[in-house]
Amino acid sequence: MINVRKDFPILTRVHNGHPLVYFDNAATTQKPYQVIHALVDFLEHHNGNPHRGAHVLSVEATELYDAAKKAVARFINAKSPDEIIFVRNTTEALNLVARSYGEANLHAGDKIVIPISEHHSDLVPWQRVAAKTGARLVYMYLDDEGHFTEEDLAKIDGQTKIVAFAAVSNVLGMKRPIEKVIRKAHSVGAVVVLDGAQSAPHMKSDVQAWDCDFYAFSGHKMLASAGTGVLYGKMELLKAMEPFLSGGDMIEYVEEQSTTFAEVPFKFEAGTENVEGAVALHAAIDYLEGIGFDAIEEHEYELTKHCLEGMLKLPYVHILGSTDPEEKVGVISFTIDGVHPHDAATILDSYGIAVRSGHHCAQPLGHHLHVEASNRASFYIYNTLEEVDYFLQTLPLVRKQMGLDA
């Protein structure tokens, strides 16, 4: 078991007389001292505006910002740090691709293929691209356990120009067949946009081995601070794309009626960069790499397996998607007979257990599954089997408090 809890100060909190059990990691993760201290050190000793000045603070801020890009490139095995663009979050990264690549390259009759299980941030931007270009947005549906079917994979055909999908579903917690889908997309000449928001924190990312064209993820879901995200893109694609935002630091030269833009990646990073976020992300990457993804995956597998086994013994609990722990990445969404998910989350919170409730920004998936809302328990490196046991012991109390038989 990974012994890291001592590094996370927030885990010492007590809520309603109970130790905090934080099972909302798919929404955001808690931060270790190593990340907190790196952020404080930057603000106390190195705070400056990067790429803009010759004085010592600007130079140091630039060095730290650039070092973070090198760390990200190493983390996902990109060919070059120049293929790394810092944005606010996965949502901004996906919107950047949809606007700067999708709207410029798609036409009437083209297809955009995505799974019905996608997060709204990988669905709504493609709706807008389809509306503006005349392209068709086509969905791959799922079988009863949340898998892609061969029939739906066949929707990736010669008319398909974009295939966008999450490496791990944020609702079902299921790993997707990344290499299989990418090979299928590339065989028909389509560009692949891979959403790594739920995969990057939990499993090794390798954009070269996958051969994805774009890859997006968020820092706050992997121990770093909010407001920092990453877009990876193949250099030849990035070079051909127009900037998403315009303003300071992304220009080469500005005249009264015309502007030339800086090289990649700078042309996609308008305005003052979030250096403190980059510093936090660098520290988070170092922390995760120090543990190693083999250990992270093994730990989360044990938590997920133990929790699934316990939940399957409760006849009034229904799990969304596969119940095979081999197919999941630390996320279990579920419903409880007779209890609205918001009520369930509120009752669990009274016992110090933090879970998610709602549609999890995936309403089309809810319509497809006929489950408009659910609860979601999601684990990370600092969670324990003892916490899972406490959660399983508390679930029957949810029904009891609602006046139902356990």
Side-chain angles (χ1 to χ4, degrees):
M1 180 177 292
I2 300 172
N3 183 23
V4 299
R5 287 182 67 85
K6 66 184 186 305
D7 294 334
F8 294 83
I10 202 169
L11 299 182
T12 63
R13 276 202 62 172
V14 173
H15 177 55
N16 282 342
H18 303 279
L20 175 66
V21 175
Y22 186 76
F23 282 176
D24 195 20
N25 294 286
T28 197
T29 54
Q30 300 306 330
K31 320 307 175 191
Y33 282 115
Q34 290 84 342
V35 170
I36 296 168
H37 290 167
L39 183 55
V40 171
D41 179 71
F42 169 75
L43 293 172
E44 287 185 341
H45 301 112
H46 311 289
N47 184 45
N49 200 318
H51 303 150
R52 282 172 161 78
H55 61 78
V56 62
L57 294 181
S58 180
V59 170
E60 289 176 355
T62 299
E63 290 172 348
L64 289 167
Y65 185 79
D66 293 346
K69 282 207 170 173
K70 292 178 182 177
V72 171
R74 181 187 73 237
F75 182 69
I76 66 172
N77 193 29
K79 288 182 180 179
S80 166
D82 290 341
E83 294 179 314
I84 305 302
I85 298 162
F86 280 147
V87 291
R88 289 184 304 132
N89 43 42
T90 306
T91 298
E92 183 177 336
L94 296 171
N95 273 271
L96 191 161
V97 176
R99 291 295 188 88
S100 295
Y101 183 85
E103 290 184 10
N105 289 280
L106 269 65
H107 305 92
D110 292 338
K111 286 172 57 177
I112 306 163
V113 178
I114 68 173
I116 193 65
S117 53
E118 289 308 282
H119 190 284
H120 294 162
S121 61
D122 199 30
L123 189 156
V124 177
W126 300 115
Q127 288 181 337
R128 295 184 64 172
V129 171
K132 289 192 174 187
T133 65
R136 289 187 296 137
L137 181 57
V138 176
Y139 290 94
M140 293 188 290
Y141 296 99
L142 310 172
D143 66 16
D144 291 340
E145 291 194 336
H147 303 104
F148 298 154
T149 67
E150 292 300 322
E151 178 183 2
D152 279 288
L153 284 169
K155 293 175 180 176
I156 304 173
D157 58 20
Q159 293 179 302
T160 307
K161 302 302 179 185
I162 297 281
V163 176
F165 69 101
V168 173
S169 165
N170 75 299
V171 179
L172 305 178
M174 294 173 63
K175 304 174 188 176
R176 294 311 188 190
I178 298 171
E179 293 91 343
K180 179 179 180 179
V181 176
I182 291 175
R183 284 196 302 269
K184 174 72 173 177
H186 285 171
S187 72
V188 299
V191 165
V192 176
V193 184
L194 188 61
D195 175 355
Q198 294 298 334
S199 60
H202 305 281
M203 52 190 259
K204 180 64 179 174
S205 300
D206 192 332
V207 295
Q208 290 192 70
W210 293 335
D211 196 28
C212 57
D213 300 293
F214 297 99
Y215 185 54
F217 60 96
S218 296
H220 73 97
K221 295 182 188 289
M222 49 177 283
L223 308 181
S225 56
T228 303
V230 171
L231 174 64
Y232 156 83
K234 289 181 177 177
M235 181 56 71
E236 61 269 24
L237 294 173
L238 295 175
K239 284 184 175 180
M241 290 161 54
E242 289 293 311
F244 179 47
L245 301 173
S246 56
D249 210 35
M250 50 76 68
I251 54 90
E252 178 185 45
Y253 196 79
V254 178
E255 297 182 350
E256 288 190 10
Q257 302 297 328
S258 64
T259 296
T260 55
F261 300 117
E263 295 296 315
V264 174
F266 304 108
K267 74 174 181 178
F268 295 108
E269 295 182 343
T272 298
E273 293 88 355
N274 180 8
V275 188
E276 46 268 70
V279 167
L281 181 57
H282 190 171
I285 287 171
D286 287 347
Y287 188 90
L288 292 172
E289 289 181 335
I291 297 170
F293 276 98
D294 288 344
I296 292 170
E297 290 190 57
E298 180 181 357
H299 179 68
E300 292 181 1
Y301 170 79
E302 291 300 328
L303 296 175
T304 305
K305 179 174 182 289
H306 189 62
C307 194
L308 284 169
E309 288 173 350
M311 295 176 78
L312 288 170
K313 294 176 182 177
L314 304 175
Y316 46 81
V317 172
H318 306 282
I319 295 166
L320 277 59
S322 173
T323 58
D324 182 353
E326 296 281 355
E327 294 188 307
K328 286 187 177 286
V329 181
V331 173
I332 302 173
S333 292
F334 61 97
T335 59
I336 302 174
D337 286 344
V339 185
H340 192 280
H342 294 326
D343 293 328
T346 300
I347 294 169
L348 288 170
D349 178 68
S350 73
Y351 289 95
I353 301 171
V355 300
R356 203 70 166 176
S357 61
H359 53 65
H360 315 303
C361 295
Q363 287 180 305
L365 175 62
H367 299 329
H368 176 67
L369 298 176
H370 307 291
V371 178
E372 299 305 321
S374 64
N375 292 112
R376 183 181 68 188
S378 50
F379 315 123
Y380 207 31
I381 55 176
Y382 38 69
N383 293 125
T384 67
L385 289 171
E386 290 76 15
E387 289 181 319
V388 172
D389 282 335
Y390 177 59
F391 170 69
L392 292 172
Q393 293 163 11
T394 307
L395 278 178
L397 302 180
V398 173
R399 293 255 306 172
K400 185 176 180 180
Q401 288 207 17
M402 294 298 294
L404 301 169
D405 292 334

